[in-house]
């Protein structure tokens, strides 16, 4: 019984825990995400081939050598701790090189995340205009609030915000998909996270759908000035 339990608790939440990015058949989806947080790009074709071209615009090449990517059995592409330098075009093709789906992804640098708590009076970044040859408008595109971390008692919830640029009449786009190889050092160009209080009723349907986790205890060795603690299966996206 114990053996089965371990096996199940190990394999099931790992699949469940993936943040899946999908886009409809033969379309191009543009998206901002955060670096350092695992994602899966969906492509529903067992013999899928994935190609990549960075935002610097080099020639597209077959993805098979990055240590942090893995093609899943169904065809989707798993990226473990993607880096800002891995921003670019991810293209999924079938074996006859016909397009199935493509993603243009801006992995915004999570180490520059601007974090504010709404109920502590901390202010998110202001909208700004920036002169890059012409005037462009920089703002944060907020995702919806995520679930409250408690129910029937006071809790907190968060939302992520991505740096976007708008140059009317064009549609806004993620900052680094717009800037590409333009070297601008400007402190407004960063992703954000906002936290606020919440109080929600418990939803029994939701409670039973929670994954199960394995708890483990590690003895920390000699304390050093810098230490990195990783919470297994945690994701900033939920
Ligand atoms: C900033 O710009 C966004 C997008 O145009 C807009 O929704 C938001 O209200 C603006 N915020 C402020 C404080 O002007």
């Amino acid at each position: 019984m114990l053996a089965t339990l371990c096996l199940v608790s190990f394999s099931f939440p790992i699949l469940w825990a993936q943040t899946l990015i999908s886009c409809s058949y033969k379309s191009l989806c543009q998206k901002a995400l955060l670096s350092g947080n695992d994602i899966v790009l969906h492509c529903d074709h067992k013999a899928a081939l994935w190609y990549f071209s960075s935002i610097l615009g080099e020639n597209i090449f077959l993805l098979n050598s990055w240590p942090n990517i893995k093609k899943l059995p169904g065809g989707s592409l798993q990226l473990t701790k993607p880096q800002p330098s891995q921003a670019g075009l991810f293209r999924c093709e079938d074996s006859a090189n016909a397009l199935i789906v493509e993603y243009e992804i801006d992995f915004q640098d999570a180490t520059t995340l601007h974090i504010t708590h709404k109920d502590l009076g901390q202010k998110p970044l202001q909208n700004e205009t920036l002169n890059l040859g012409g005037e462009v408008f920089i703002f944060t595109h907020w995702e919806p609030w995520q679930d409250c971390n408690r129910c029937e008692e006071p809790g907190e919830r968060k939302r992520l915000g991505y740096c976007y640029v708008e140059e009317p009449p064009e549609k806004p786009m993620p900052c680094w998909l717009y800037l590409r190889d333009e070297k601008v050092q400007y402190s407004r160009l960063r992703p954000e996270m906002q936290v606020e209080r919440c109080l929600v009723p418990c939803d029994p349907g939701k409670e039973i759908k929670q994954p199960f986790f394995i708890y483990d205890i590690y003895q920390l060795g000699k304390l050093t000035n810098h230490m990195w603690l990783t919470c297994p299966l945690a994701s900033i996206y939920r």
Side-chain angles (χ1 to χ4, degrees):
M1 181 56 202
L2 195 62
T4 324
L5 194 67
C6 286
L7 192 68
V8 170
S9 60
F10 227 92
S11 56
F12 170 69
I14 288 175
L15 281 178
W16 178 91
Q18 308 281 8
T19 297
L20 186 67
I21 311 296
S22 40
C23 179
S24 47
Y25 183 59
K26 287 200 185 292
S27 307
L28 167 66
C29 292
Q30 227 175 38
K31 208 166 165 52
L33 291 167
L34 277 177
S35 69
N37 287 273
D38 301 359
I39 55 143
V40 171
L41 298 178
H42 185 242
C43 181
D44 190 13
H45 187 79
K46 283 195 173 55
L49 295 170
W50 282 92
Y51 293 85
F52 174 76
S53 154
S54 85
I55 47 172
L56 306 178
E58 83 241 334
N59 287 342
I60 197 156
F61 62 88
L62 186 66
L63 265 183
N64 50 17
S65 58
W66 286 352
N68 68 332
I69 61 161
K70 187 174 139 200
K71 208 187 95 186
L72 300 177
S76 296
L77 193 70
Q78 177 177 29
L79 287 100
T80 309
K81 296 192 176 20
Q83 293 306 303
S85 59
Q86 292 177 312
L89 181 74
F90 292 84
R91 185 180 160 96
C92 179
E93 297 183 357
D94 66 16
S95 43
N97 288 107
L99 173 69
I100 302 176
V101 64
E102 20 182 26
Y103 300 91
E104 204 174 16
I105 309 245
D106 179 2
F107 292 110
Q108 304 197 347
D109 189 353
T111 64
T112 65
L113 198 63
H114 184 257
I115 305 174
T116 49
H117 198 303
K118 218 174 158 178
D119 300 299
L120 296 177
Q122 298 166 345
K123 296 268 173 286
L125 298 173
Q126 297 291 308
N127 292 340
E128 285 184 27
T129 49
L130 185 61
N131 203 314
L132 294 172
E135 292 226 313
V136 296
F137 178 63
I138 318 273
F139 68 100
T140 295
H141 174 85
W142 291 102
E143 302 256 283
W145 288 100
Q146 298 176 4
D147 290 341
C148 194
N149 65 351
R150 299 267 189 283
C151 64
E152 258 146 44
E153 57 176 316
E156 285 182 318
R157 59 180 191 170
K158 64 181 190 298
R159 64 173 180 167
L160 299 172
Y162 297 102
C163 176
Y164 267 67
V165 174
E166 186 173 15
E167 187 187 355
E170 304 294 323
K171 270 199 337 201
M173 61 198 283
C175 287
W176 286 271
L177 295 186
Y178 176 88
L179 295 167
R180 299 201 176 256
D181 54 355
E182 199 136 6
K183 299 268 180 293
V184 279
Q185 295 288 332
Y186 186 56
S187 65
R188 176 61 183 85
L189 300 172
R190 50 203 284 212
E192 292 196 73
M193 185 169 98
Q194 200 176 26
V195 181
E196 73 168 8
R197 281 191 303 217
C198 51
L199 181 57
V200 296
C202 292
D203 171 359
K206 207 166 197 168
E207 299 311 304
I208 53 169
K209 274 194 251 133
Q210 295 298 318
F212 23 109
F213 293 100
I214 312 159
Y215 291 92
D216 214 336
I217 296 169
Y218 292 99
Q219 187 92 43
L220 294 176
K222 203 167 126 222
L223 290 176
T224 54
N225 283 343
H226 299 284
M227 187 170 301
W228 193 263
L229 298 178
T230 303
C231 179
L233 306 178
S235 169
I236 204 163
Y237 300 118
R238 60 173 180 269

